[in-house]
Every structure is written in structure tokens, then in C-alpha cells.
Amino acid sequence: MRVSHKAYRLKSAISAVTIVNVGYRSTNYWVVSAGTSRLLVDLGWPGTMGTMRANLDRMGVPLKEIRYGLATHYHIDHAGLAQDLKLAGVPLLVLEPQVGAIPLMKRSTKPADHFTDITTHDNVVISVADSRAVLERISIAGEILHTPGHSDDSVSLLLDDGSIFTGDLTHPRLIGEDAASATAASSWRMLQERGATRVYPGHGPAHSLNLQALP
Ligand SMILES: [Zn+2]
């Protein structure tokens, strides 16, 4: 009895996460924390490290406690500070389906954006299948799933408590009938099957998952 009680408490401890938003310029940057072990989901606009630092400070998140940065996909409003964060000591966690998208990012930036190009030799590249074990090492219970639709390199973080961080995956209400929409719809269905209940998107407020509007 004592042993199983203890095991239960350990299991609760690993799933007790808090979620805060340190976003700006209409984009959400979510900090998922298990105590002082933290993961930053989506990584700022290019050239805005000062704003990111100020927002982390304001929300009581020490930069040095962020164990990884994860971009849901490599568009400039979601991965603009990936390299700046690496230089500040935050390793970049990259899923295998994202590797090819990283070198393409600089094409969609102008010199005035002050984008720091992302080096590719020093990232933490993992497979979707390994994501649960990697998250477990930073005390976060969940997995990272490939969820194409908005872009081929889009991934979502699904926590075991049902929270899902979806980046720009098309809002279920806005899904149409084109091919990209069909891909997005199947990503949503997969997320729901795997237990997603509450959506933390890249833009706009968090909302509960409701797929009744899907075609
Ligand atoms: Zn995007």
C-alpha cells in the first residue's frame, strides 16, 4: 500500500505543470513549467530579445531555468529568436520533421528584421517517438506530435493533462475544404484521439477543443 501511494504521488508531481504566456505583438509564447524546470513554446519575433527578456522577467521566469526552446514551426513570429535564445543558454529542441525548414527561414526575413540565422549543427534534434522520454527528463509529462496543416514542419506539444500547444494549426472553425485544410483536420482529429482537451494556440486566447465544426 505504502509503495503504491508513493508511486501515485510521484506521478502527480510530474504532471503538475503551470502555463504562462510571455507573448507580444499578437503572438503567444507559452512557458510550460514543472516547478523550476521550464520549456518555452514558440520563440519570439526576430530582433526582439529585449522584449522577450522583459516579459520573462515580468512573469517571474528566469531565463536560466528554461531547459529547451521549442518552435511549433519555423515561421518568423514563432522561431525568430531561436538562435538568440541559444546564445543566451537555451538549447533548441528540434523535431525531425522540422530539420529541413530551418535553413529556409532566412528567406522570409529582411535585413531590417535583425534575424539571427539559426545554426544547424548544435541543436537537439529528436524523433517524435523520443519526445516523451526527452520531456520526462525535464519533469514534463507529455509528447510532441507532428501536426501538419498550416505548414509541413508544424508540431504540437500535448501534455498528459490534455493541454495542447498548436502554434498556427488552423482553428477548427476556420477549416475549409482545400487540401491543406484536410491535412489540418486530420491533425486535429489525431490530437483529440490522443487526449487533447484545451488548446493554447500561437495567436488568440486559449480555448477548449471542439471539433464539431470540422467538415
Ligand atoms: Zn505560421
Side-chain angles (χ1 to χ4, degrees):
M1 272 304 275
R2 260 183 95 188
V3 171
S4 62
H5 180 59
K6 235 175 150 180
Y8 173 73
R9 285 188 45 185
L10 270 174
K11 206 170 170 226
S12 308
I14 199 177
S15 59
V17 293
T18 58
I19 298 164
V20 299
N21 187 3
V22 296
Y24 48 93
R25 287 202 211 158
S26 307
T27 310
N28 301 323
Y29 307 123
W30 301 104
V31 181
V32 177
S33 306
T36 57
S37 182
R38 307 174 192 274
L39 171 68
L40 178 60
V41 181
D42 284 336
L43 309 175
W45 289 85
T48 62
M49 196 59 189
T51 309
M52 177 61 85
R53 281 183 186 276
N55 284 10
L56 289 168
D57 268 1
R58 196 156 44 83
M59 298 306 285
V61 178
L63 189 65
K64 66 174 184 333
E65 292 180 357
I66 302 176
R67 306 281 298 274
Y68 292 113
L70 170 71
T72 54
H73 62 296
Y74 283 81
H75 284 171
I76 59 162
D77 49 338
H78 294 263
L81 290 175
Q83 186 68 17
D84 308 78
L85 284 160
K86 279 163 62 179
L87 295 172
V90 180
L92 180 62
L93 189 62
V94 175
L95 277 289
E96 280 169 354
Q98 304 187 296
V99 169
I102 295 178
L104 306 179
M105 261 192 80
K106 57 178 174 284
R107 287 194 203 162
S108 49
T109 60
K110 310 179 289 295
D113 294 331
H114 302 291
F115 171 65
T116 312
D117 200 10
I118 304 170
T119 52
T120 52
H121 66 280
D122 53 354
N123 301 321
V124 181
V125 181
I126 64 166
S127 66
V128 166
D130 285 342
S131 64
R132 176 171 289 279
V134 171
L135 292 172
E136 204 173 294
R137 288 205 283 276
I138 60 168
S139 305
I140 292 172
E143 57 189 333
I144 302 166
L145 299 162
H146 186 209
T147 48
H150 169 71
S151 66
D152 287 343
D153 70 319
S154 288
V155 302
S156 298
L157 168 68
L158 174 61
L159 302 181
D160 286 356
D161 71 2
S163 305
I164 180 79
F165 300 81
T166 50
D168 284 350
L169 186 60
T170 315
H171 192 294
R173 258 195 281 117
L174 303 176
I175 281 179
E177 312 249 298
D178 55 297
S181 282
T183 307
S186 58
S187 290
W188 280 116
R189 284 195 196 92
M190 182 268 291
L191 290 173
Q192 187 176 53
E193 273 160 28
R194 297 186 82 105
T197 52
R198 183 153 184 83
V199 182
Y200 294 83
H203 307 275
H207 55 91
S208 40
L209 182 59
N210 178 357
L211 298 186
Q212 278 164 12
L214 286 188

